Amino acid sequence: MKLWSDLYDLIMPDLPGCPFAAVNNALRQSAIVFCAQSLAWKDEHPPVAVAAGTAEYSFIPPVGAAVHAITHATFNSKEISPHTGELDIPARDWRNQTGRPEYVLGGATSLRLVPEPDEAGMLTMIVALKPSASAAGIDERLFNEYREAIIHGALARLMLSPRKPYTNTQLAQYHQQQFLIETAMAATRAARSFTRAPLRTAILGRG
């Protein structure tokens, strides 16, 4: 794991007088948006034991991370897909449905199998992660490959701060443009390199 402070040498020269706490927050928010838009941080989720009659399951992300999306999932070795019907199905209705389960993403914390599984089994997933709101840093691979994009996003945020020594609207627009370009490139790269093979990443710590 790389701490936000590992980026100070690259970002602080452009931010005279900026508090470290503000820099940390801007880097964190930039990394969250980058990961959410690019899906560049993929990981194999720990297998989830599914019980018959139980539809709700909590995610178990690495410390300092949150699940943004599921990119591939299987139940008892059979691929399952996102549920494309109504997301507000009454419990009494979706429990009575039949057929192969699908999943509904319940935000960053959980998922729901639809219909309620009528057999026990194992759920496996590849998920796209993003830093959590309390993350103290980022995955080392992301740091090595995408730190420039994350720095651009943080500078764009901070340079829009009013009446600061580092306020610069024109530069903020430049950094935002670079952030969008590099995020789009990372998204294309992530899509091309998508694999269902097991993925491994470093575990983030909390600050």
Side-chain angles (χ1 to χ4, degrees):
M1 183 206 46
K2 291 290 188 177
L3 300 175
W4 305 125
S5 58
D6 291 320
L7 292 168
Y8 285 174
D9 287 347
L10 299 174
I11 194 172
M12 293 305 294
D14 294 315
L15 300 168
C18 187
F20 291 141
V23 174
N24 290 348
N25 183 64
L27 288 168
R28 184 184 302 110
Q29 293 304 314
S30 177
I32 288 172
V33 174
F34 171 82
C35 290
Q37 293 183 358
S38 68
L39 304 184
W41 186 9
K42 292 191 180 78
D43 192 21
E44 184 179 15
H45 190 279
V48 176
V50 173
T54 302
E56 302 276 350
Y57 295 90
S58 297
F59 291 123
I60 311 171
V63 175
V67 172
H68 176 71
I70 300 171
T71 61
H72 182 250
T74 65
F75 178 56
N76 287 344
S77 300
K78 294 181 179 179
E79 185 174 355
I80 61 175
S81 304
H83 181 67
T84 56
E86 296 293 331
L87 296 181
D88 56 352
I89 303 171
R92 63 180 179 277
D93 292 335
W94 57 258
R95 285 175 181 164
N96 292 329
Q97 295 184 39
T98 59
R100 182 183 298 179
E102 298 177 329
Y103 62 82
V104 177
L105 193 66
T109 60
S110 66
L111 62 81
R112 185 175 77 195
L113 295 176
V114 179
E116 182 181 274
D118 57 8
E119 63 176 338
M122 194 64 64
L123 176 66
T124 63
M125 297 175 283
I126 293 175
V127 295
L129 299 172
K130 59 186 177 183
S132 68
S134 60
I138 59 173
D139 173 74
E140 187 167 355
R141 180 184 67 83
L142 291 178
F143 176 91
N144 292 333
E145 296 183 18
Y146 302 117
R147 60 180 178 269
E148 292 296 331
I150 293 170
I151 289 171
H152 280 304
L155 287 172
R157 289 171 176 270
L158 290 167
M159 287 181 174
L160 287 176
S161 303
R163 297 183 299 277
K164 302 293 184 182
Y166 45 86
T167 300
N168 191 320
T169 303
Q170 287 185 329
L171 269 181
Q173 292 175 347
Y174 164 77
H175 286 297
Q176 179 64 15
Q177 182 181 39
Q178 293 303 117
F179 173 78
L180 293 175
I181 290 171
E182 296 198 22
T183 300
M185 292 173 59
T188 300
R189 179 179 177 184
R192 288 177 177 173
S193 64
F194 173 75
T195 176
R196 294 176 184 175
L199 302 174
R200 293 288 184 266
T201 63
I203 294 178
L204 298 183
R206 293 186 183 274

